[in-house]
Amino acid sequence: PHAKIGVIYPQSGPNVAFGTDLKRGWDLWLQQNKGMLGDHVADVVAADEGTTPQAATAAVQKLLQTDKVDVVVGLVDNAAAQAVVPIMVAAKKLLLVAGAGASDVTKKARSAYVWRTSYSDPQLAAPMGTQLAQSDAAGGVYIVAPSDDQGTATIAGFQVAFESGGGKVVGTARLLPGAAPARTVALIKAARPKATYCALAPADAVPFIKAYAQAGLPATIPLYGSGPLTEGNVLVQEGQAAAGVQTTLHYSDQLTTPENTAFVAAYKAAYQVSPSCF
């Protein structure tokens, strides 16, 4: 029997690197398994998630109506995933979210047709909240987050765990996308917290981490964050400025399990780079 699978991922825009990683991981597994999913031959149709929820929903509708797929796999952007969920539920077709971390996808919008193989945004941040509540940083953490829903959810995951463990938040700064980080860095310097916790999208993480290091803050105010802050190609761009930054994530290419060691070796052989969590 055949299974028709729609794989949807961003092929342009700010999330293209994550989309590329997602598709490469999919391709590699399928290649290693001779194009078979169990006893089904996988007939794969690729689709571009685009850069807006509208583009993603149009692509999914085409996958369902024109390409007649049985399952849709992928999605990186949160808003795109949330827009796609009701379409998949109405069509009674299976959606496997392989990237987007919006918690509502499997909470508010919970459905038997929607599963995730990745993470939820609050889940990325909560372990660091627990950890810092048991450290010197419990006396005062300054939070830096983007102004969007994803940032709000990530920070909530951190803050709930941190404060319930006895930690104290001494300030919060919201960074608009593309905004220069200088003012935020100055606010942190003036507040003199025990540590900073940061959850920013890759495009804003790189300038923030560089500005933070340039201001000489890491020596006295260590920087912690959610995993995407230092994930994949972002870390390469941050370079030495990211030395000492600690983050929590559900995956690392450094994991030494036999499965991951084999996967990383195969991925590097196929694509000449290390795999990211996507």
Side-chain angles (χ1 to χ4, degrees), residues 225-246:
S226 67
L229 198 66
T230 53
E231 176 63 357
N233 191 42
V234 177
L235 185 59
V236 179
Q237 294 172 56
E238 289 158 355
Q240 200 51 40
V245 176
Q246 291 186 43

Side-chain angles (χ1 to χ4, degrees), residues 43-110:
D43 296 331
V44 179
V45 183
D48 186 1
E49 181 182 314
T51 55
T52 63
Q54 293 81 2
T57 53
V60 165
Q61 277 162 338
K62 181 188 174 292
L63 286 172
L64 292 170
Q65 292 160 14
T66 308
D67 301 308
K68 303 277 193 281
V69 300
D70 304 298
V71 181
V72 172
V73 178
L75 297 168
V76 168
D77 180 70
N78 277 357
Q82 286 169 304
V84 164
V85 165
I87 296 170
M88 297 299 297
V89 173
K92 296 186 175 177
K93 297 287 185 183
L94 188 63
L95 172 66
L96 293 175
V97 178
S103 55
D104 284 352
V105 164
T106 44
K107 278 195 171 176
K108 267 187 200 165
R110 188 173 180 177

Side-chain angles (χ1 to χ4, degrees), residues 106-150:
T106 44
K107 278 195 171 176
K108 267 187 200 165
R110 188 173 180 177
S111 159
Y113 294 103
V114 182
W115 294 75
R116 84 162 85 237
T117 64
S118 53
Y119 61 89
S120 67
D121 293 319
Q123 181 189 18
L124 284 190
M128 190 65 87
T130 304
Q131 179 80 13
L132 292 189
Q134 297 165 5
S135 73
D136 292 345
V141 164
Y142 201 100
I143 290 174
V144 180
S147 51
D148 62 3
D149 291 345
Q150 188 169 1

Side-chain angles (χ1 to χ4, degrees), residues 2-278:
H2 286 242
K4 204 157 191 194
I5 318 285
V7 180
I8 181 168
Y9 59 100
Q11 297 174 25
S12 57
N15 290 327
V16 69
F18 296 150
T20 301
D21 288 356
L22 190 152
K23 182 65 164 51
R24 282 174 168 178
W26 168 269
D27 289 345
L28 180 65
W29 191 92
L30 211 54
Q31 191 186 323
Q32 289 175 335
N33 290 273
K34 300 181 172 59
M36 301 289 289
L37 291 165
D39 57 0
H40 287 70
V41 176
D43 296 331
V44 179
V45 183
D48 186 1
E49 181 182 314
T51 55
T52 63
Q54 293 81 2
T57 53
V60 165
Q61 277 162 338
K62 181 188 174 292
L63 286 172
L64 292 170
Q65 292 160 14
T66 308
D67 301 308
K68 303 277 193 281
V69 300
D70 304 298
V71 181
V72 172
V73 178
L75 297 168
V76 168
D77 180 70
N78 277 357
Q82 286 169 304
V84 164
V85 165
I87 296 170
M88 297 299 297
V89 173
K92 296 186 175 177
K93 297 287 185 183
L94 188 63
L95 172 66
L96 293 175
V97 178
S103 55
D104 284 352
V105 164
T106 44
K107 278 195 171 176
K108 267 187 200 165
R110 188 173 180 177
S111 159
Y113 294 103
V114 182
W115 294 75
R116 84 162 85 237
T117 64
S118 53
Y119 61 89
S120 67
D121 293 319
Q123 181 189 18
L124 284 190
M128 190 65 87
T130 304
Q131 179 80 13
L132 292 189
Q134 297 165 5
S135 73
D136 292 345
V141 164
Y142 201 100
I143 290 174
V144 180
S147 51
D148 62 3
D149 291 345
Q150 188 169 1
T152 304
T154 306
I155 289 309
F158 169 80
Q159 198 161 343
V160 167
F162 181 61
E163 291 182 335
S164 64
K168 187 181 170 202
V169 174
V170 292
T172 304
R174 288 304 186 107
L175 260 182
L176 288 167
R183 184 174 169 272
T184 304
V185 170
L187 286 171
I188 296 166
K189 201 169 189 174
R192 295 169 70 179
K194 298 281 188 188
T196 301
Y197 181 83
C198 176
L200 292 173
D204 295 309
V206 176
F208 177 79
I209 282 183
K210 286 184 172 175
Y212 198 87
Q214 209 168 355
L217 295 185
T220 51
I221 310 168
L223 182 60
Y224 300 90
S226 67
L229 198 66
T230 53
E231 176 63 357
N233 191 42
V234 177
L235 185 59
V236 179
Q237 294 172 56
E238 289 158 355
Q240 200 51 40
V245 176
Q246 291 186 43
T247 58
T248 46
L249 193 58
H250 63 293
Y251 174 74
S252 166
D253 63 343
Q254 305 297 311
L255 289 168
T256 55
T257 61
E259 296 85 354
N260 192 56
T261 305
F263 167 68
V264 171
Y267 193 95
K268 281 182 173 174
Y271 306 116
Q272 289 74 56
V273 287
S274 291
S276 72
C277 71
F278 286 90

